[in-house]
Amino acid sequence: MAICRWLYRVYDLYRDGFRHMTLGRTLWAIILIKLFIIFAILKVFFFPNYISTHADEGKESEFVATKILKQ
C-alpha cells in the first residue's frame, strides 16, 4: 500500500509541475523536435543499413561474426 501511495505522489508532483509550466513547455517542445530530427531524419540519410546491403539474406549473423573476428 505504501508503494502505491508513493507512486501516486510522484505522479501528482509531475502532473502538477507540467500543468504550471510556462517556459518549460517551450523547452520540452524544442527537446522533442531535436530528438525527432536526430533519430528519424538523420538516421535515414546518414546511417544506412550496412548489413542488409552487404550481407546475403538470412546470413547476417555470419557476416557480422566475420567482420568482428577480422578486426
Side-chain angles (χ1 to χ4, degrees):
M1 211 39 132
I3 293 175
C4 290
R5 193 174 334 136
W6 182 79
L7 287 175
Y8 178 74
R9 288 178 62 195
V10 169
Y11 167 75
D12 191 42
L13 174 75
Y14 279 103
R15 184 189 66 194
D16 193 41
F18 281 114
R19 185 180 298 154
H20 296 297
M21 263 195 226
T22 55
L23 179 63
R25 288 185 186 187
T26 307
L27 295 175
W28 275 108
I30 291 170
I31 290 169
L32 292 175
I33 290 169
K34 288 171 87 174
L35 285 173
F36 174 76
I37 289 171
I38 289 170
F39 288 112
I41 296 173
L42 290 180
K43 183 185 181 316
V44 171
F45 292 114
F46 294 109
F47 302 109
N49 196 347
Y50 183 79
I51 295 173
S52 68
T53 57
H54 290 83
D56 295 331
E57 184 74 27
K59 299 192 180 217
E60 291 89 359
S61 61
E62 295 173 14
F63 176 76
V64 172
T66 56
K67 290 294 182 184
I68 289 174
L69 293 175
K70 282 184 181 178
Q71 293 180 5

